[in-house]
Amino acid sequence: MSAPHVPKVAGIDPAVPAPAHNSAAKPSKTPAGTEGGPPVPPAQDVRPVDQLAVVQDRLAGWISDLTTLHELTERLARTDSLDNALHELVHAGAALVGARRGMIVLEPADGRGPDTTVGLGLGQADIGTIETIPRSAASYGRILDGLPQEDAGSPDRLEVAHPDLRNEPDLDPRHREVAARLGYAASYAVPLATDADGRLGAAVWLYDEPTEPVERQRHLVGLYTRYAAEHLARHLDLTRARSTVETIREELLPSRLPRLTGVRLAVRHRTGPGGGGDWYDALPLPEGALGLAVGGVTGSGPSAVAAMGRLRASLRAYAVMEGEDPVAVLSDLELLLRLTEPARSATALFAYCEGRTLLMAGAGHCPPLIVGDRRTEFVETSLSAPLGMLSCWEAPSVEFEVEPGETLLLYSDGLLHRTGEPMDRAFARLHAAAASVPRSVRDDPEAVADHVLHTVLPDGRATADGPEDVVLLAVRFD
């Protein structure tokens, strides 16, 4: 079967034939004895105007290629996550080589992950089918496992091309079977690598008919993937750093909530991309009491996470020693903050629960919200400064009762800030969300937390990355 015409892509034209060279004009010769007769015609010459047209066409092609590469790299540079960068790469590469389908296999050589596969025109089932090909026979597997130079195409460019999978004699039978099942007849694969990080993965594009990219397309996709690999490496470093901060942060927070008679708890926690310093806690105290805490330190990143861990651990110790006096607990925490973190401030709220009676103190933190069948109201607390803001912090505690079947909501101010509204309107939105909890689910703190979170932050804002951490702790009193 003859190879079909490669689809035309904006900025990528067929190769222009090399221009013919001009021959110097030779003087007319008259054969001997025929003086004055007709001259012998000179050799066929290429006129200068034709030569100039060929050069202009070639320059126009180069300019078009550079424009296309510039546009594609600009689009790639605007991607804000590793997943978006991978999707942009597989789309742009398909356009450059004239393919309709493809996949990117991300598998960093250092073994630190993340390992993932992104497809274009391929569903998860299709990708799973391709992964059943023995790794040594799959083009991406050969690249990831270290392609021998003699099998890698030209010395300066690693690539694996299968122009006609149906008729390739040495092809693994499983590879041919998968190609026939998924309906592709040719493939072209290149590595994704940088000098500093080594191989990050491989890109594979699939053709519906036997074909392969022409030299010009190979050159363009080579230039593009070299830039793309550097961009992926930067996203990979950022993703790993965020994952490390998130892991440390999660380890510093409770691994599970306590189970106490007459009390059920649920928590929803979202971390901003910078890894902020908001925390929550629920710990059993002597004589069957329960300590509840929410708070947050200023700043973001690893230093804020470390400060959060230190403050939370200290608050736990103070709560065990003198939890029945929330003001004393926060006073001790404030003294520790001023001595160990003089450049940082923090908000905190601590409540000592004995049965359905709560004694609570707050330092610059948002007031809790009581949700029940007969009321939805904020707990009235006295205004107080955050910890570390004054030379000596002090604020009175407040005592209140919750009724059987009511739920107490403790939350961080990130929940309000993520609404993007002024604080008074954000508080009103939170109150309305709590009041609208369906009666059929009010006895389930998990359902109450989900309803409030997704009502206050609709349209996916509850799960999307945001500049603010979100903590929502729901405490149901039976």
Side-chain angles (χ1 to χ4, degrees):
M1 178 180 291
S2 62
H5 178 69
V6 177
K8 186 175 181 181
V9 179
I12 305 175
D13 303 321
V16 178
H21 295 287
N22 282 345
S23 301
K26 295 181 180 180
S28 299
K29 290 184 179 180
T30 303
T34 57
E35 197 77 30
V40 176
Q44 183 69 32
D45 292 342
V46 176
R47 294 180 301 169
V49 64
D50 295 334
Q51 189 178 37
L52 179 61
V54 171
V55 172
Q56 287 176 335
D57 287 344
R58 179 169 294 177
L59 287 175
W62 289 343
I63 293 172
S64 178
D65 291 344
L66 291 174
T67 301
T68 299
L69 283 176
H70 176 74
E71 292 174 352
L72 294 178
T73 53
E74 282 287 310
R75 285 169 50 181
L76 182 64
R78 288 193 294 268
T79 55
D80 57 359
S81 69
L82 180 62
D83 186 66
N84 289 341
L86 291 172
H87 280 90
E88 177 61 31
L89 169 57
V90 70
H91 277 80
L96 288 173
V97 300
R100 189 173 63 88
R101 291 179 287 176
M103 55 187 279
I104 304 293
V105 181
L106 185 67
E107 189 178 301
D110 59 11
R112 296 168 54 201
D115 296 347
T116 187
T117 301
V118 170
L120 169 67
L122 298 171
Q124 288 299 321
D126 298 332
I127 293 175
T129 301
I130 293 175
E131 289 174 343
T132 64
I133 300 173
R135 189 177 174 93
S136 60
S139 53
Y140 70 87
R142 294 167 60 196
I143 288 175
L144 294 174
D145 292 341
L147 194 65
Q149 186 64 57
E150 58 268 20
D151 297 334
S154 61
D156 60 340
R157 182 177 61 212
L158 299 177
E159 57 185 10
V160 178
H162 293 289
D164 190 353
L165 290 166
R166 297 166 187 165
N167 300 312
E168 191 170 322
D170 298 328
L171 191 69
D172 186 278
R174 180 58 184 166
H175 196 167
R176 184 177 289 107
E177 177 186 343
V178 168
R181 180 185 302 179
L182 298 183
Y184 64 91
S187 67
Y188 179 70
V190 296
L192 302 170
T194 68
D195 293 336
D197 302 283
R199 278 200 187 95
L200 303 178
V204 186
W205 290 282
L206 310 175
Y207 299 89
D208 296 341
E209 298 293 338
T211 189
E212 61 181 316
V214 299
E215 179 59 30
R216 191 174 188 179
Q217 291 173 315
R218 296 183 185 211
H219 178 66
L220 288 174
V221 80
L223 293 175
Y224 179 75
T225 52
R226 279 196 289 272
Y227 171 82
E230 297 287 349
H231 186 70
L232 289 179
R234 291 190 290 271
H235 272 302
L236 191 62
D237 289 341
L238 183 58
T239 299
R240 287 172 171 176
R242 288 177 176 174
S243 177
T244 300
V245 171
E246 180 64 18
T247 300
I248 294 173
R249 178 188 173 86
E250 292 299 328
E251 290 297 323
L252 292 173
L253 293 173
S255 58
R256 63 176 60 89
L257 296 172
R259 294 183 178 182
L260 298 174
T261 302
V263 178
R264 287 179 291 156
L265 301 102
V267 68
R268 297 294 179 266
H269 175 221
R270 304 286 184 264
T271 305
D278 288 2
W279 85 85
Y280 65 92
D281 209 345
L283 66 156
L285 296 176
E287 300 180 2
L290 174 67
L292 300 171
V294 290
V297 300
T298 55
S300 62
S303 63
V305 172
M308 175 270 290
R310 291 190 291 268
L311 287 183
R312 175 181 168 269
S314 300
L315 186 143
R316 280 195 147 212
Y318 299 146
V320 170
M321 293 186 295
E322 48 192 8
E324 69 279 0
D325 186 355
V327 172
V329 171
L330 294 187
S331 295
D332 292 344
L333 193 65
E334 196 271 342
L335 178 60
L336 177 71
L337 184 67
R338 283 196 290 114
L339 293 176
T340 61
E341 310 276 350
R344 199 182 296 276
S345 64
T347 65
L349 184 146
F350 177 74
Y352 178 82
C353 309
E354 195 169 16
R356 294 195 305 274
T357 302
L358 287 84
L359 189 62
M360 183 182 66
H365 207 80
C366 303
L369 183 61
I370 298 176
V371 183
D373 291 337
R374 293 184 295 177
R375 62 173 175 170
T376 300
E377 61 185 31
F378 289 102
V379 177
E380 293 187 7
T381 58
S382 58
L383 294 176
S384 60
L387 303 177
M389 295 290 288
L390 303 177
S391 58
C392 181
W393 175 89
E394 187 173 354
S397 60
V398 58
E399 183 176 338
F400 60 97
E401 294 272 344
V402 293
E403 300 295 330
E406 290 186 330
T407 299
L408 182 69
L409 297 179
L410 294 86
Y411 52 94
S412 67
D413 57 2
L415 177 64
L416 305 176
H417 289 310
R418 279 207 189 192
T419 64
E421 298 178 339
M423 290 301 286
D424 57 340
R425 296 184 61 182
F427 274 115
R429 176 186 286 270
L430 174 60
H431 185 279
S436 67
V437 175
R439 292 183 180 272
S440 59
V441 300
R442 287 194 175 185
D443 62 342
D444 182 2
E446 300 281 351
V448 171
D450 283 334
H451 176 86
V452 171
L453 184 63
H454 293 287
T455 304
V456 174
L457 300 174
D459 303 325
R461 285 181 289 169
T463 56
D465 283 344
E468 300 281 350
D469 289 2
V470 172
V471 170
L472 178 62
L473 180 62
V475 186
R476 161 83 179 189
F477 292 88
D478 294 325

